[in-house]
Amino acid sequence: MADRDHALYWARRGFRGQSEDDQAYYVSNPRLVFVLDRFVSESVWPYARSIAGQERSASLPSEYLRIRDCLEDIDELADRRPIDDIEVKFEGYDTESGEAVERAGTLTSYYFTEYDIRASLTLSLHLDADTVQPTLASVGGIGARKVDYAAERIVIREYDGHDSNDPTNETARYLKQCRSELPTELGDASIAIGFDAFVDRMREFIEPSGDRYNHISQFERFRESLVKYEASESSPRALWRETETEPGGHASHLGNVFNGLGYDLTLVGRFGSPIHPEFESAFNDQTIISVGPTTSTDYVRFKNRNFLLTEPNTDPLNWSTLTEQSDRSKLVDSFDETAAVALGTWWATPDLPDILEGMAEELWPQLESPPSFVHLSTGQVSELSSETIEWGCDALKKLDEHVSVVVTANRDQTRQLCDTLVPDSGTKSSVQRLRKQLGVSQFVMHSLKGATLASADGVLTVSTPQIPSPRRVRNVDDHFKSGYVLGLAEGLSAGASLVLGNAIAGYFVRYDRTPDEEELRSYLADYHAHYEES
């Protein structure tokens, strides 16, 4: 079979000799060719072996009709290069709608094993920054169902980086504004941050090797070991070791950025009673108001992803709990005369709508010098009920009557909101419609490719240079939010604030740490040069 349109089928009756009655059949009916293809790939191919002297090595570019052939080559290539250096293009169909599609993206992970009939690729799709669609998509072979797309033809090649080596004219304009609007000195302001906080315990899986232990650095290798256990009668067992412990959650991640830039902080959240040493050590010069016990998250680190084990905090955090644990006068002092308030993620605080209503009705009227905006992010709102999301819309509208409310979400979280609030919507208009449905002054959708802002003034988009070999992809959302909140707190225009958010997130991805003021200004100065490296 050279393709799925034509095939040659030769039914031999014996392996020794042949008669004049033996015939080969040339098949030109694509449906019959498809049946033959499935028969060979599923029943014959697993038992095939290479012809002597015809061994081959995987190379780029290559084209495939069967996903397992593609995956075998990718598995070999993954030993020689980072998998995100591989671009995948495929023709196939949407498994939900049946619509024919052609898509392209960079490879983020893959799955296949001799113990399982499933086989799939996971791609980071090449989408415009303002497109409200999932960034990651799963791709299986023909007939696959529990994936986003089924591929009939696959091409892999070396990824040549960003679509353009230059920022758009719109981005260049906002970059110029960011450089000119950024104050000569940072840190001359107070920031209030809440509410979700965790203690992050960093771990890594290990395996014995002689008299020592080696780090299992690839998630696929760990996953393969679990599949082997599933196919055996043994109980799964994993060895790990703790490498470090650090403060985590929205309050800690944003707090680290602003703390490093010299701002006065008031952190309100569940930091423990007494306050956990990790938070005390990280923010010893800042004001910490704890409103309940803290919990922990175990981060198992791999090179290409992380495996999280989070202990949920079952104590509800609502307006009543907040005011009981910390009296109203202390909350008034915490929020008054601040340049910005960043409340955390809705996902981590399901009763956040109750807190928003309390702030609108009881707290805000008591503030003499209130901040100009309140920021919050959505988190994984797919875990919230549609009733809770509707409740949140009402609460956001109430608070926005007193102060400008800014909501940020990554592309997947934006899609989740759209599915509930504005289904069957388009691209840019979806972001604007979503903002109106939420009843807020600004809604920002961000991704590794850029950020899109919807406000009463319209929609604007800022691209970001791609990082060829990122050092870290964990907590990128929080670092973008830090930059955007910083820009608004310092009075920067909306487009300039988006650039600042992209810059802090980009620096973190590139260097695996938050920038100080000098490093931030240097990154902004070289913003154009980073496109050339993409």
Side-chain angles (χ1 to χ4, degrees):
M1 288 163 288
D3 53 37
R4 287 203 175 95
D5 294 325
H6 306 85
L8 185 69
Y9 177 60
W10 190 4
R12 295 186 61 184
R13 286 181 287 181
F15 289 99
R16 294 182 179 178
Q18 62 186 46
S19 69
E20 294 180 355
D21 295 331
D22 289 336
Q23 297 184 37
Y25 297 89
Y26 174 69
V27 185
S28 59
N29 184 319
R31 294 185 179 183
L32 294 178
V33 173
F34 175 75
V35 173
L36 181 60
D37 177 86
R38 296 288 288 179
F39 167 71
V40 171
S41 61
E42 301 299 329
S43 301
V44 179
W45 205 260
Y47 299 98
R49 60 179 183 271
S50 300
I51 300 174
Q54 296 296 318
E55 297 293 339
R56 57 179 293 274
S57 177
S59 61
L60 298 176
S62 292
E63 183 174 350
Y64 308 89
L65 293 177
R66 304 179 186 88
I67 192 169
R68 283 186 175 268
D69 296 344
C70 174
L71 288 168
E72 286 185 11
D73 280 2
I74 284 177
D75 197 43
E76 179 184 335
L77 290 167
D79 292 333
R80 310 199 302 260
R81 60 168 64 224
I83 61 173
D84 57 4
D85 279 353
I86 301 175
E87 181 182 55
V88 179
K89 290 187 174 183
F90 68 91
E91 301 172 9
Y93 56 89
D94 187 307
T95 56
E96 183 174 344
S97 66
E99 179 186 1
V101 298
E102 293 185 20
R103 295 284 189 273
T106 51
L107 184 65
T108 63
S109 64
Y110 60 93
Y111 175 81
F112 82 113
T113 172
E114 62 179 301
Y115 304 99
D116 198 337
I117 62 172
R118 294 171 296 175
S120 64
L121 303 159
T122 301
L123 308 182
S124 176
L125 297 180
H126 298 338
L127 300 172
D128 295 334
D130 57 0
T131 303
V132 184
Q133 289 183 8
T135 303
L136 296 180
S138 54
V139 181
I142 288 183
R145 295 182 178 180
K146 295 184 178 181
V147 289
D148 298 313
Y149 303 103
E152 298 175 337
R153 189 180 304 270
I154 303 172
V155 175
I156 62 174
R157 67 182 186 182
E158 187 173 359
Y159 180 49
D160 58 4
H162 194 260
D163 296 336
S164 173
N165 290 332
D166 297 303
T168 64
N169 292 334
E170 188 178 13
T171 298
R173 182 170 69 254
Y174 298 134
L175 174 60
K176 184 177 180 180
Q177 292 177 5
C178 182
R179 291 169 176 167
S180 63
E181 295 174 6
L182 197 65
T184 55
E185 291 186 10
L186 298 177
D188 188 21
S190 298
I191 309 291
I193 302 175
F195 293 107
D196 45 307
F198 301 90
V199 175
D200 290 345
R201 299 182 298 204
M202 305 303 172
R203 302 179 184 271
E204 59 185 20
F205 283 122
I206 56 177
E207 59 184 355
S209 177
D211 58 352
R212 57 184 298 178
Y213 291 94
N214 293 332
H215 174 212
I216 301 177
S217 60
Q218 294 294 332
F219 178 77
E220 288 75 20
R221 186 169 181 179
F222 168 67
R223 183 176 60 189
E224 183 75 10
S225 67
L226 294 181
V227 174
K228 287 182 179 179
Y229 273 117
E230 186 180 13
S232 69
E233 297 181 356
S234 303
S235 300
R237 179 186 298 273
L239 301 176
W240 68 7
R241 58 190 171 201
E242 186 172 311
T243 57
E244 58 183 311
T245 304
E246 61 185 40
H250 173 273
S252 298
H253 298 150
L254 266 68
N256 284 331
V257 174
F258 286 104
N259 192 35
L261 295 172
Y263 287 86
D264 292 328
L265 302 180
T266 298
L267 303 173
V268 183
R270 294 188 281 198
F271 301 106
S273 180
I275 296 173
H276 195 282
E278 292 296 335
F279 302 112
E280 279 193 328
S281 176
F283 305 107
N284 59 337
D285 295 330
Q286 307 291 359
T287 301
I288 302 178
I289 302 176
S290 182
V291 292
T294 192
T295 55
S296 62
T297 295
D298 288 314
Y299 269 95
V300 184
R301 288 180 170 175
F302 299 96
K303 282 185 177 180
N304 54 344
R305 64 176 60 194
N306 295 301
F307 180 59
L308 275 62
L309 300 167
T310 299
E311 176 188 5
N313 201 324
T314 56
D315 292 337
L317 182 61
N318 50 36
W319 181 247
S320 176
T321 304
L322 195 62
T323 53
E324 288 175 2
Q325 296 290 331
S326 175
D327 60 68
R328 285 179 174 82
S329 62
K330 187 178 291 187
L331 288 176
V332 170
D333 292 340
S334 300
F335 286 78
D336 212 2
E337 297 184 353
T338 58
V341 172
L343 294 182
T345 57
W346 192 356
W347 164 81
T349 311
D351 288 340
L352 186 61
D354 185 63
I355 297 176
L356 298 178
E357 290 177 346
M359 291 174 61
E361 297 169 0
E362 301 181 32
L363 177 64
W364 227 258
Q366 300 183 50
L367 300 180
E368 296 181 1
S369 180
S372 59
F373 72 96
V374 171
H375 170 272
L376 64 92
S377 56
T378 63
Q380 297 298 325
V381 291
S382 59
E383 300 184 20
L384 303 176
S385 67
S386 58
E387 292 78 13
T388 298
I389 294 177
E390 295 287 351
W391 177 30
C393 291
D394 294 336
L396 288 167
K397 292 174 183 176
K398 289 181 181 178
L399 184 58
D400 198 73
E401 294 174 358
H402 298 270
V403 59
S404 294
V405 177
V406 179
V407 176
T408 62
N410 64 30
R411 196 192 305 273
D412 288 341
Q413 295 159 2
T414 302
R415 180 72 267 168
Q416 294 163 13
L417 277 175
C418 283
D419 289 342
T420 301
L421 299 176
V422 284
D424 302 323
S425 52
T427 55
K428 279 190 177 183
S429 60
S430 295
V431 181
Q432 187 64 279
R433 288 175 59 193
L434 187 56
R435 178 193 71 84
K436 294 177 180 179
Q437 192 69 28
L438 290 170
V440 297
S441 298
Q442 292 186 7
F443 181 85
V444 179
M445 179 183 71
H446 59 91
S447 69
L448 291 176
K449 301 193 74 171
T452 299
L453 164 70
S455 69
D457 297 327
V459 176
L460 58 89
T461 297
V462 173
S463 65
T464 185
Q466 304 301 288
I467 308 301
S469 299
R471 293 280 302 278
R472 181 71 68 87
V473 294
R474 184 175 66 92
N475 303 332
V476 176
D477 288 2
D478 284 335
H479 287 79
F480 170 83
K481 291 181 285 189
S482 300
Y484 190 67
V485 170
L486 172 61
L488 296 183
E490 291 291 355
L492 273 65
S493 58
S497 297
L498 290 180
V499 171
L500 201 58
N502 287 341
I504 290 182
Y507 188 95
F508 177 74
V509 170
R510 182 179 289 266
Y511 299 108
D512 192 15
R513 58 184 177 85
T514 58
D516 59 26
E517 183 174 345
E518 181 180 352
E519 292 166 335
L520 176 58
R521 294 184 188 277
S522 176
Y523 193 89
L524 287 170
D526 294 335
Y527 204 85
H528 280 87
H530 295 317
Y531 279 94
E532 298 175 0
E533 299 174 15
S534 297

